[in-house]
């Protein structure tokens, strides 16, 4: 971000400038803002003729008394964008029909984050006649507020309004007349923008030429820029190029972006350019190519594919853009807050203007509305209402409304929008006291009252309960949650909701566990009283990154469909940069940035709308525990198979039988033909999801089988310098005919492997092992943080069918961990994602992280966990230690029926707890045989856990340790209120145990 100098405020008038006129105020509409002070109720703002001109200006007149200040915000017309500048002078032309004493007149500008900047002209005293007030801006302002509050201008700027400060000598009944605003840049002025042919930086089918960075010279003289472009694609591949450009005030410069942008995809441009004067200009833009999936021509039948938004908050211009963006990407429905306090601020006063406009804007783009009926006004709160949770910050949130008044409000809205709105949601997240600071039975009063009222006036309406934030809120451990909702909604049996609405923000693993719990409870699934709607769920990109957010959208949306959901709304359409600073968790849910640039998830949503909108889920294809394979029948009769790997460390290859013409569709809609050998293909499956799409007509089907290599390969192979170790590789023939596979093993420097090449004939369904002998040289030093790679490559008929990287690490020395748990991909949140829950979110390694050591010591396993935790809390004992700070680990050993799940904790009183939740058949509880020591260092905020586990108690042997076993470990976090979340070495533990997803380890 190019910086501005601190503002210089002129107390004198400059000569007339040939400045560019920004606004004429004759047709301007202003509104009074800020404090409610005496005299404001007599202020009138209206058009009035300018002297010596045929134009009107805007007159501001006051009565008696003269108000101390009048803050005027521009409502319309929209202020033009003001591009980047180094210095500028803004000139406000004002007319005073009669002399008047004023303290000052200030100018207010607004940046793209909605931060307001106030600039002062020090002219004061008596004003008369026509005056030009100049405001010199060279960096910031005397005062700033709102937006991201970073005191830096986030370009572009816009005119916001003015403030008139009166004095004790200001005469009552006077006024001023606003004529126009103009501005002029000084020095070197550069405006850089990305040209794609579309407001949202999209390359649509009609755009054939590549995007270009346009350099507009808004200063004087010729401008020469040179520097570097960095362009990253949706797969993380990076292109870098040196560029230069020339621009004059009359002729812009153009830097055409190098690369091929003809196929659907997403890219991020970072540029750093330097002028001949040494000034640096840097920034970034996101852009993408797509074939729009919308607007939808009519109300979409079948599955509801939608988005959530707060478009009622940010003005008409942004509302129009959000409606356009929603329709373009194929959203058929938008979930909006229909805030009671906006509709009916007083019992006898209704105002439908804003929401009538929004409903019409969305309808014009083929988007219908799901209306959330909540946010009661003060007058609707019962006088005897007492909040359930009385912390000061919750005193005025989640207030209960009189059920009779709420019913009248619901009926009024349903009647007014009959025929225009089908879907109504009664309240939002009533399981959270942030939105419902009262017990759930009281919410059921509102649900029954609102449902019955809507049903009376609009029989065709579809009514849903207030969307439930998450199943965690029924667990009893969080004072900010309302327990009992599962039981009460189930008992209602759908008498007062036509759809069960559920949210479940966060990663797929947590979402999936919650859906399974809802299925067990009977609220979703075949025996549920009503269908269900995943009407607000997403994952913020703030810690996982934007590409992973797009993958999360794909996985969660299609998982919801596999669980029978009738609809899915992503939260949110656009990032809330007006409300939250960069890096805030709540800001970064959007498909678009605050500035309406596409994030990868926007293009992924468009792809899903294009190919899955009218598809029918037909079942899961078994492909191993690690692989999700969801099958759909497309509207044209073909098959869609959504695939991804739930293990992040290593891709898996599946052996597939496919019909000719099958294509692979990536997250952004790019189609690539699948190469077939006969009817078969080898399909690599990583954690990045994709779709296999067969030709229309339904001829042929997709069959999957495991690949040529087994699931159980070590994640890390530990080598001791100077010693040899073996690694058995089992090869499998999934085909229906004999095959001859060739295994090639390429070792890294410092490691030898034999055999390097082995030809293995296999009969159909046969498995045969090849034993690799590895020897690490004394010079081998690869640590866990930078492992070496043994590349295994399988060939069939000369063509490579599978590649598997096997990590090789030197046997950890003392003080060197085997695992490090410290990033967002390893953290699993257990609190609902909702405003107000930010204190419970993981804030990075200083909040919770761990270094894990595991080794064999004779006939013992030695486990050591160095846990960094800012606030240790453990008040539980026995089976319940998982609720507080603790370490849990799992072992699954070959030949045993069942698995081990053991945990230990350091209590707040300094004592140590050990507990075994699960053990294989035929084994006794090993807790008394496990030796555990736990101690805390408050200075380093570190808790150290050390445990020795006897082989005999676990059924472990040296042979099992050396050949491989499955292992997992989680670190739980509780900072005093509840179990907030945990770090996990692998999936399959913490919210349901599945040892097939755990890591495979080998210990010498």
């Amino acid at each position: 971000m190019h910086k501005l100098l601190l503002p210089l405020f002129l107390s004198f008038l400059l000569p007339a400038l040939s400045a560019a006129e920004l606004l004429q105020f004759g047709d301007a509409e202003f509104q009074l803002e800020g404090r409610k002070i005496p005299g404001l109720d007599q202020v009138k703002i209206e058009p009035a003729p300018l002297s010596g001109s045929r134009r009107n200006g805007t007159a501001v007149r006051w009565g008696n008394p003269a108000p101390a200040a009048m803050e005027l915000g521009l409502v319309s017309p929209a202020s033009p964008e003001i591009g980047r500048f180094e210095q500028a002078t803004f000139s406000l032309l004002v007319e005073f029909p009669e002399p008047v004493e004023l303290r000052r007149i200030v100018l207010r500008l607004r940046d793209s984050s909605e931060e307001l900047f106030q600039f002062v002209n020090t002219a004061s005293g008596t004003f008369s006649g026509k005056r030009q007030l100049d405001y010199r801006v060279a960096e910031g302002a005397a005062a700033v507020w709102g937006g991201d509050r970073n005191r830096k201008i986030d370009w572009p700027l816009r005119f916001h309004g003015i403030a008139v400060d009166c004095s004790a000598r200001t005469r009552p009944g006077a006024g001023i007349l606003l004529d126009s605003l103009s501005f002029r840049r000084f020095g070197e002025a550069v405006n850089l923008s990305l040209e794609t042919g579309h407001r949202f930086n999209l390359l649509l089918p009609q755009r054939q030429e590549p995007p270009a960075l346009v350099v507009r010279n808004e200063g004087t003289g010729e401008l020469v820029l040179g520097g570097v472009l960095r362009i990253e694609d949706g797969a993380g591949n990076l292109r870098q190029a040196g560029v230069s450009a020339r621009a004059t005030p009359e002729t812009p410069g153009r830097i055409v972006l190098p690369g091929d942008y003809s196929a659907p995809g997403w890219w991020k441009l970072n540029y750093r350019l330097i002028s001949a004067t040494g000034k640096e200009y840097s920034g970034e833009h996101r852009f993408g190519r797509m074939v729009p999936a919308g607007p939808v021509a009519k109300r979409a039948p079948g599955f509801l594919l939608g988005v959530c938004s707060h478009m009622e908050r940010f003005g008409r211009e942004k509302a129009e853009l959000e409606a356009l963006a929603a329709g373009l990407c194929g959203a058929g429905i938008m979930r909006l807050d229909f805030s009671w306090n906006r509709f009916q601020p007083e019992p006898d006063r209704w105002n439908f203007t804003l929401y009538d406009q929004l409903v019409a804007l969305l309808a014009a783009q083929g988007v219908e509305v799901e209306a959330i009926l909540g946010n009661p006004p003060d007058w609707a709160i019962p006088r005897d209402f007492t909040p359930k949770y009385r912390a000061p910050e919750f005193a005025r949130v989640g207030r209960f409304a009189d059920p009779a008044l709420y019913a009248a409000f619901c009926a009024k809205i349903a009647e007014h929008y009959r025929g225009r709105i089908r879907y109504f949601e009664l309240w939002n997240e009533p399981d959270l006291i942030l939105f419902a600071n009262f017990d759930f039975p009281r919410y059921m009063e509102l649900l029954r009252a609102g449902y019955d009222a809507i049903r009376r006036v609009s029989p065709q309406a579809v009514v849903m309960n207030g969307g439930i934030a998450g199943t965690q809120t029924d667990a009893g451990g969080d004072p900010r949650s309302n327990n009992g909702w599962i039981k009460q909604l189930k008992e209602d049996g759908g008498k007062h909701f036509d759809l069960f609405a559920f949210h479940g923000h966060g990663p797929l693993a947590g979402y999936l566990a919650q859906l399974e719990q809802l299925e067990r409870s009977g609220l979703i699934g075949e025996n549920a009283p009503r269908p269900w709607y995943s009407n607000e769920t997403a994952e913020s990109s703030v810690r996982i990154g934007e590409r992973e957010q797009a993958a999360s959208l794909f996985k969660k949306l299609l998982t919801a469909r596999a669980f029978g959901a009738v609809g899915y709304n992503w939260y949110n359409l656009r990032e809330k940069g007006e409300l939250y600073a960069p890096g805030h968790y709540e800001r970064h849910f959007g498909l678009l940035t605050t500035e309406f640039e596409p994030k990868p998830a926007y293009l992924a949503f468009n792809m899903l709308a294009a190919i899955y909108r009218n598809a029918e889920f037909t079942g899961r294809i078994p492909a191993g525990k690690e692989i999700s394979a969801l099958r759909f029948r497309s509207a044209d009769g073909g098959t869609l198979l959504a695939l991804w790997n739930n293990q992040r460390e290593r891709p898996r290859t599946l052996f597939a039988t496919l019909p000719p013409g099958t294509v692979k569709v990536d997250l952004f809609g790019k189609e690539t033909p699948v190469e077939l050998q006969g009817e078969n293909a080898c399909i690599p499956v990583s954690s990045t999801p994709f779709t296999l799409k067969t030709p229309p007509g339904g001829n042929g089907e997709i069959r999957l089988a495991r690949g040529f290599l087994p699931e159980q390969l070590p994640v890390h192979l530990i080598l001791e310098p100077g010693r040899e170790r073996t690694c058995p590789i089992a090869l499998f023939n999934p085909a229906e005919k004999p095959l001859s596979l060739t295994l090639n093993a390429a070792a890294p420097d410092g490691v030898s492997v034999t055999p390097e090449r082995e030809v293995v004939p296999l009969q159909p369904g046969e498995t045969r092992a090849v034993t690799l002998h590895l020897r690490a040289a004394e010079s081998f030093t690869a640590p866990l943080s930078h492992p070496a790679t043994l590349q295994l490559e399988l060939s069939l008929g000369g063509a490579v069918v599978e590649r598997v990287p096997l990590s090789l690490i030197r046997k950890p020395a003392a003080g060197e961990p085997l695992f490090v748990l410290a990033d967002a991909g390893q953290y699993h949140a257990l609190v609902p994602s909702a405003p107000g829950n930010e204190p419970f979110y993981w804030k990075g390694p200083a909040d919770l992280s761990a270094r894990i050591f595991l080794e064999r010591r004779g006939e013992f396993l030695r486990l050591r966990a160095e846990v960094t935790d800012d606030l240790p809390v453990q008040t539980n004992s026995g089976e319940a230690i998982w609720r507080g700070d603790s370490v849990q680990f799992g072992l699954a050993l070959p030949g045993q029926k069942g698995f081990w799940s053991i945990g230990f904790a350091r209590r707040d009183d300094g004592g140590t707890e050990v507990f075994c939740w699960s053990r294989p058949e035929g084994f006794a509880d090993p807790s008394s045989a496990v030796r555990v020591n736990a101690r805390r260092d408050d200075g380093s905020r570190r808790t150290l856990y050390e445990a020795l586990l006897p082989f005999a108690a676990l059924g472990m042997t040296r042979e099992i340790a050396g050949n491989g076993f499955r292992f997992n470990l989680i670190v739980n976090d509780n900072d005093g209120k509840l179990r907030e979340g945990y770090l996990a070495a692998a999936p399959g533990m913490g919210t349901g145990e599945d040892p097939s997803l755990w890591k495979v380890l080998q210990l010498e």
Side-chain angles (χ1 to χ4, degrees):
M1 182 69 64
H2 179 54
K3 295 182 179 179
L4 295 170
L5 302 173
L6 285 174
L8 305 173
F9 308 118
L10 302 189
S11 59
F12 53 88
L13 297 179
L14 296 176
L17 301 171
S18 58
E21 191 165 72
L22 190 68
L23 283 169
Q24 291 183 350
F25 294 127
D27 297 322
E29 180 185 349
F30 287 88
Q31 64 182 5
L32 290 170
E33 301 178 329
R35 300 165 292 163
K36 303 296 183 184
I37 56 179
L40 280 185
D41 57 339
Q42 299 184 52
V43 174
K44 294 184 178 180
I45 305 171
E46 57 192 6
L50 296 163
S51 63
S53 172
R54 295 180 180 179
R55 291 193 298 110
N56 279 342
T58 293
V60 182
R61 299 187 178 95
W62 54 88
N64 188 4
M70 290 165 283
E71 301 178 77
L72 281 70
L74 182 69
V75 176
S76 67
S79 171
E81 292 184 352
I82 305 166
R84 188 190 300 271
F85 54 76
E86 183 179 5
Q87 300 179 50
T89 294
F90 287 76
S91 299
L92 179 66
L93 193 60
V94 189
E95 186 175 323
F96 298 89
E98 299 176 11
V100 62
E101 290 275 338
L102 296 174
R103 190 163 69 87
R104 65 180 185 177
I105 299 176
V106 301
L107 174 73
R108 290 174 174 173
L109 304 177
R110 182 181 75 248
D111 74 3
S112 64
S113 80
E114 301 297 318
E115 186 172 9
L116 290 181
F117 296 77
Q118 178 165 288
F119 298 90
V120 180
N121 178 294
T122 56
S124 184
T126 302
F127 291 80
S128 63
K130 292 189 175 183
R131 295 289 296 271
Q132 177 179 305
L133 304 178
D134 291 331
Y135 305 82
R136 182 78 173 270
V137 181
E139 179 155 324
V144 300
W145 62 92
D148 59 16
R149 302 175 183 83
N150 65 359
R151 304 189 68 86
K152 297 179 181 179
I153 294 178
D154 299 309
W155 302 94
L157 274 176
R158 292 180 185 268
F159 170 70
H160 178 81
I162 65 168
V164 180
D165 291 347
C166 299
S167 69
R169 295 187 298 275
T170 300
R171 183 171 58 83
I176 64 175
L177 192 56
L178 303 177
D179 184 329
S180 61
L181 178 69
S182 56
F183 80 105
R184 180 178 178 180
R185 294 178 171 90
F186 292 90
E188 188 173 282
V190 180
N191 185 352
L192 292 157
S193 61
L194 183 65
E195 179 189 87
T196 64
H198 195 275
R199 171 63 178 83
F200 303 149
N201 281 356
L202 295 172
L203 300 162
L204 299 184
Q206 60 268 31
R207 170 86 180 198
Q208 299 302 315
E209 60 268 31
L213 190 64
V214 178
V215 182
R216 291 180 174 85
N217 181 355
E218 296 175 340
T220 57
E222 186 179 52
L223 174 72
V224 179
L225 292 176
V228 176
L229 304 183
R230 291 166 54 90
I231 304 170
E232 183 180 359
D233 68 14
N237 302 311
L238 187 66
R239 174 193 298 270
Q240 188 165 298
V243 296
S244 62
R246 292 176 179 269
T248 66
E250 297 78 24
T251 307
R254 285 172 56 83
I255 301 173
V256 177
L257 272 54
D260 181 4
Y261 306 101
S262 60
W266 176 88
W267 299 269
K268 182 164 74 172
L269 164 69
N270 280 275
Y271 61 85
R272 180 174 178 268
L273 305 174
I274 299 175
S275 71
T277 63
K279 292 187 173 64
E280 179 180 317
Y281 302 90
S282 59
E284 68 178 26
H285 290 290
R286 294 158 179 81
F287 64 100
R289 179 174 288 279
M290 72 182 205
V291 178
V296 180
K298 57 183 179 180
R299 287 181 172 177
F303 192 80
L304 294 165
L305 184 58
V307 290
C308 303
S309 177
H310 297 291
M311 62 189 294
E312 76 281 359
R313 300 185 184 184
F314 305 121
R316 171 83 184 205
E317 180 185 3
K318 290 179 179 176
E320 290 177 349
L321 290 173
E322 289 206 14
L324 177 63
L328 192 70
C329 70
I333 191 166
M334 181 179 282
R335 180 174 180 263
L336 287 177
D337 281 310
F338 270 44
S339 295
W340 187 358
N341 52 23
R342 288 179 183 261
F343 279 104
Q344 196 182 9
E346 299 172 9
D348 56 353
R349 183 158 64 91
W350 287 85
N351 186 350
F352 292 92
T353 303
L354 171 63
Y355 286 97
D356 284 353
Q357 291 174 350
L358 297 181
V359 171
L361 283 174
L362 290 166
Q365 298 298 329
V367 182
E368 62 177 314
V369 169
E370 182 215 316
I372 314 168
L373 305 184
N375 298 324
D378 290 345
W379 59 264
I381 310 301
R383 292 185 178 181
D384 62 351
F385 169 65
T386 301
K388 172 185 176 182
Y389 190 63
R390 301 186 185 184
E393 66 269 27
F394 286 87
R396 289 184 59 81
V397 301
R399 295 180 298 166
F400 182 71
D402 182 286
L405 295 175
Y406 182 62
F409 164 67
C410 292
K412 184 80 169 181
I413 297 299
E415 183 177 37
H416 182 82
Y417 290 103
R418 187 166 50 209
R420 289 183 286 169
I421 296 180
R422 287 191 292 172
Y423 294 94
F424 295 96
E425 181 180 355
L426 304 187
W427 222 260
N428 175 61
E429 297 188 345
D431 54 324
L432 295 180
I433 65 165
L434 176 67
F435 301 106
N437 199 353
F438 43 85
D439 286 327
F440 206 79
R442 302 213 73 183
Y443 167 70
M444 293 300 295
E445 295 179 43
L446 295 174
L447 179 63
R448 288 190 288 267
Y451 182 89
D452 291 341
I454 293 174
R455 185 61 62 234
R456 283 193 295 270
V457 301
S458 184
Q460 303 305 314
V462 180
V463 185
M464 63 195 83
N465 60 283
I468 298 296
T471 60
Q472 308 99 319
T473 57
D474 203 49
D478 182 1
R480 300 186 181 207
S481 300
N482 290 320
N483 299 300
W485 61 264
I486 291 179
K487 180 175 182 291
Q488 291 173 65
L489 288 176
K490 185 71 183 302
E491 287 177 348
D492 183 86
K495 292 189 292 291
H496 296 96
F497 58 94
D498 304 314
L499 291 176
F500 169 59
F502 180 74
H503 295 173
H505 285 289
L508 174 68
Y511 183 65
L512 182 60
Q514 293 180 79
L515 298 188
E516 290 171 345
Q517 182 179 346
L518 291 173
E519 200 169 52
R520 290 191 299 271
S521 74
L523 270 176
I524 69 174
E526 292 183 0
N527 299 318
R530 293 289 191 178
W532 77 284
Y533 186 1
S534 191
N535 73 327
E536 182 205 315
T537 184
E539 187 169 7
S540 174
S541 63
V542 71
R543 286 191 290 271
I544 63 171
E546 293 181 0
R547 290 191 301 273
E548 282 297 316
Q549 183 188 44
S552 181
L553 165 61
F554 182 105
K555 297 172 185 179
K556 292 186 70 175
L557 190 152
L558 295 183
T559 296
R561 296 194 68 168
F563 273 84
V566 300
Y568 184 99
N569 292 346
W570 179 266
Y571 179 89
N572 207 19
L573 174 63
R574 185 173 70 95
E575 291 191 341
K576 296 184 287 188
E578 297 93 343
L579 303 179
Y580 301 101
H584 193 287
Y585 190 85
E586 279 294 319
R587 171 173 176 153
H588 295 281
F589 279 101
L591 301 175
L592 298 165
T593 68
T594 304
E595 296 77 25
F596 289 91
E597 292 190 338
K599 295 167 64 178
Y602 185 78
L603 280 88
F605 188 100
N606 181 78
M607 178 276 297
L608 290 163
I611 71 173
Y612 283 97
R613 181 199 309 282
N614 296 315
E616 175 190 358
F617 176 69
T618 57
R620 297 174 173 86
I621 298 181
K625 289 284 189 179
E626 298 175 358
I627 303 295
S628 290
L630 307 180
R631 183 175 54 204
F632 297 78
R633 180 181 296 108
S634 62
D636 61 14
T639 295
L640 302 172
L641 183 64
L643 283 165
W644 67 87
N645 190 339
N646 292 300
Q647 285 276 25
R648 297 176 58 87
E649 290 92 348
R650 177 184 296 127
R652 285 272 315 283
T653 295
L654 297 178
F655 187 76
T657 301
L658 305 172
T662 299
V663 297
K664 176 182 176 181
V665 186
D666 73 5
L667 271 176
F668 311 120
K670 180 181 178 181
E671 296 187 359
T672 305
V674 177
E675 294 185 11
L676 296 178
Q677 295 183 355
E679 294 183 338
N680 303 124
C682 296
I683 308 295
V685 184
S686 70
S687 62
T688 300
F690 62 91
T691 300
L692 292 179
K693 176 183 172 185
T694 69
N699 294 321
E701 61 175 318
I702 296 177
R703 297 197 302 272
L704 298 179
R706 55 170 279 196
F708 301 102
L709 287 171
E711 297 180 25
Q712 185 157 330
L713 279 174
V715 174
H716 303 298
L717 196 61
I718 302 170
L719 302 181
E720 187 173 349
R723 294 188 59 188
E724 181 181 290
R725 69 162 305 157
T726 59
C727 178
I729 304 293
L731 303 182
F732 172 71
N733 179 4
E736 297 176 354
K737 61 181 181 180
L739 296 178
S740 184
L741 290 173
T742 300
L743 174 65
N744 292 291
D749 291 341
V751 177
S752 64
V753 57
T754 53
E756 294 182 344
R757 183 175 183 274
E758 183 85 1
V759 178
V760 184
L762 293 166
Q763 295 299 313
E766 182 185 3
T767 299
R768 183 176 295 182
V770 175
T771 300
L772 300 179
H773 298 265
L774 301 169
R775 177 177 288 275
E778 294 289 347
S779 59
F780 181 71
T781 61
L784 175 68
S785 57
H786 294 87
T789 301
L790 173 68
Q791 188 69 51
L792 303 179
E793 186 179 271
L794 278 179
S795 298
L796 179 64
V800 176
V801 294
E802 187 159 5
R803 290 187 177 93
V804 176
L806 185 61
S807 293
L808 305 179
I809 60 174
R810 176 182 48 79
K811 183 178 181 179
E816 191 174 9
L818 182 60
F819 302 113
V820 176
L821 307 181
D823 67 56
Q826 299 165 318
Y827 186 76
H828 299 256
L830 295 175
V831 293
S833 176
N837 273 350
E838 290 86 358
F840 299 122
Y841 297 162
W842 183 70
K843 303 171 187 65
D847 183 5
L848 182 71
S849 56
R851 289 158 34 101
I852 308 301
F853 305 79
L854 184 67
E855 62 179 349
R856 181 182 67 80
R857 282 198 173 179
E859 298 298 314
F860 289 85
L861 276 181
R862 179 176 180 267
L863 176 62
R864 173 185 170 98
E866 296 177 358
V867 178
T868 298
D869 186 354
D870 61 338
L871 188 62
V873 175
Q874 179 54 273
T875 59
N876 302 281
S877 61
E879 186 275 340
I881 60 172
W882 60 272
R883 295 182 182 273
D885 290 339
S886 56
V887 172
Q888 296 173 245
F889 68 93
L891 297 170
L893 307 183
Q896 295 184 350
K897 293 182 179 180
F899 58 87
W900 298 95
S901 178
I902 303 171
F904 38 84
R906 179 186 181 274
R907 297 192 307 268
D908 289 349
D909 63 7
T912 301
E913 289 272 346
V914 180
F915 192 84
C916 177
W917 291 277
S918 174
R919 59 183 186 267
E921 289 183 18
F923 284 86
D925 187 336
S927 299
S928 60
V930 176
R931 288 181 276 168
V932 176
N933 178 38
R935 58 186 183 275
R936 173 74 180 178
D937 181 355
D938 288 325
S940 64
R941 297 185 172 185
R942 181 176 295 172
T943 304
L944 174 64
Y945 302 89
E946 293 181 293
L948 277 177
L949 298 98
F951 274 16
L954 302 173
M956 176 71 81
T957 65
R958 293 192 180 202
E959 182 181 18
I960 290 174
N963 289 337
F965 59 94
R966 290 196 179 271
F967 173 84
N968 204 355
L969 178 141
I970 67 173
V971 180
N972 293 308
D973 192 26
N974 183 322
D975 284 351
K977 296 282 188 181
L978 70 159
R979 183 188 183 215
E980 300 169 0
Y982 59 89
L983 287 166
M989 197 171 186
T991 54
E993 293 177 314
D994 186 348
S996 68
L997 299 176
W998 298 355
K999 292 180 180 290
V1000 177
L1001 297 182
Q1002 292 178 315
L1003 300 176
E1004 283 289 337

